[in-house]
């Protein structure tokens, strides 16, 4: 089995003006700009991407966006293309976050179109999936995830891409302070890796990084990273403060 380099990703959601984003990025570069033990990504709002890219420059911190539209260009008022993200310095893009699915009507089909466009444009997709509390309580966690994963990745020539990142974010653990237990998370991550192996082969299953997201903090990262199929974290709230985020990254140093 090949070693997967951990990825610690920060999703800033709809927080920070341009100036606030610059200040946070500067502090993070000072604290973690030379870390090599894990990959680091931050995803500021669109309005701060270019400025943050100037700050993080050639440091170890990679730039990501939180969303985009799959068409290359056109009359799509309010939307942003993959090429536009690349032009700001983005290497990563978050796709299908549960907030986008729940609040902005994203579906497995639109997520699939975005994944295809991200790969086509050389962006590393951070493909988010996760079950709601109702779905978990009804015993449907695995069937929900099976559908999200298979429909999201439908017809993608995955064998030609090695950069897929999946983020398992149980919706009930996002911003709630309720983390899945490490056993619950490992069980799901193992299930997802087996699904990848069964449908796309061992090579993709072994190289795909599967991140856990949902109330990750410096106090629970160690336990989560102790699990064999957890390859990093997608962090919301605790990524907004550079010192807090660095405390999570610091686990790897
Ligand atoms: P929290 O870390 O705030 O729970 O958010 C998780 C998340 O949604 C990251 O994308």
């Amino acid at each position: 089995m090949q070693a997967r380099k951990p990825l610690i990703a920060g999703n800033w959601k709809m927080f920070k003006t341009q100036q606030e984003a610059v200040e946070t990025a500067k502090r993070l570069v000072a604290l973690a700009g030379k870390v090599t033990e894990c990959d680091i990504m931050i995803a500021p709002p669109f309005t701060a991407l270019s400025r943050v890219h100037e700050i993080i420059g050639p440091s170890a911190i990679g730039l990501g966006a939180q969303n985009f539209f799959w068409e290359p260009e056109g009359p799509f008022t309010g939307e942003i293309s993959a090429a536009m993200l690349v032009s700001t310095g983005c290497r990563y893009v978050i796709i299908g976050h549960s907030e986008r699915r729940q609040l902005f009507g994203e579906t497995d089909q639109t997520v699939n179109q975005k994944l295809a466009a991200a790969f086509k444009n050389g962006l590393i997709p951070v493909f988010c999936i996760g079950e709601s509390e109702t779905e978990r309580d009804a015993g449907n966690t695995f069937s929900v995830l099976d559908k999200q994963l298979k429909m999201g990745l439908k017809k993608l020539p995955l064998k030609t891409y090695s950069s897929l990142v999946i983020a398992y974010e149980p919706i009930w653990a996002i911003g709630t302070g309720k983390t899945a237990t490490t056993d619950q998370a490992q069980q799901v991550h193992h299930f997802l890796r087996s699904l990848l192996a069964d449908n796309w082969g061992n090579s993709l299953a072994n190289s795909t990084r599967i991140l856990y997201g949902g109330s990750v903090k410096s106090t629970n990262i160690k336990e989560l990273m102790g699990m064999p199929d957890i390859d990093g974290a997608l962090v919301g709230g605790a990524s907004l403060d550079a010192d807090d985020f660095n405390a999570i990254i610091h686990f790897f140093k």
Side-chain angles (χ1 to χ4, degrees), residues 11 13 97 99 169 173-175 214-216 234-237:
N11 175 8
K13 306 193 179 184
H97 192 281
E99 286 152 16
E169 299 204 304
I174 295 178
S215 301
V216 175
L234 181 56
V235 186

Side-chain angles (χ1 to χ4, degrees), residues 90-167:
C90 280
R91 298 213 317 261
Y92 299 85
V93 64
I94 298 170
I95 295 179
H97 192 281
S98 59
E99 286 152 16
R100 296 222 50 91
R101 292 177 191 253
Q102 291 190 315
L103 303 171
F104 301 99
E106 295 211 10
T107 63
D108 291 326
Q109 283 77 14
T110 62
V111 166
N112 178 248
Q113 280 169 286
K114 290 185 182 195
L115 281 162
F119 280 128
K120 204 165 152 190
N121 286 275
L123 286 163
I124 300 173
V126 179
F127 166 31
C128 301
I129 55 178
E131 82 286 2
S132 67
E133 191 153 34
T134 321
E135 288 164 340
R136 177 164 280 266
D137 290 347
N140 294 334
T141 299
F142 294 104
S143 61
V144 166
L145 294 170
D146 180 288
K147 178 169 166 283
Q148 289 178 348
L149 189 84
K150 285 185 185 154
M151 289 186 72
L153 297 179
K154 198 172 171 182
K155 294 192 179 151
L156 297 182
L158 287 177
K159 291 210 169 99
T160 56
Y161 305 116
S162 57
S163 58
L164 178 64
V165 177
I166 292 171

Side-chain angles (χ1 to χ4, degrees), residues 196-216:
L196 290 175
D198 293 346
N199 291 278
W200 292 274
N202 283 329
S203 167
L204 187 86
N206 288 334
S207 63
T208 297
R209 290 181 287 187
I210 308 180
L211 314 183
Y212 171 78
S215 301
V216 175

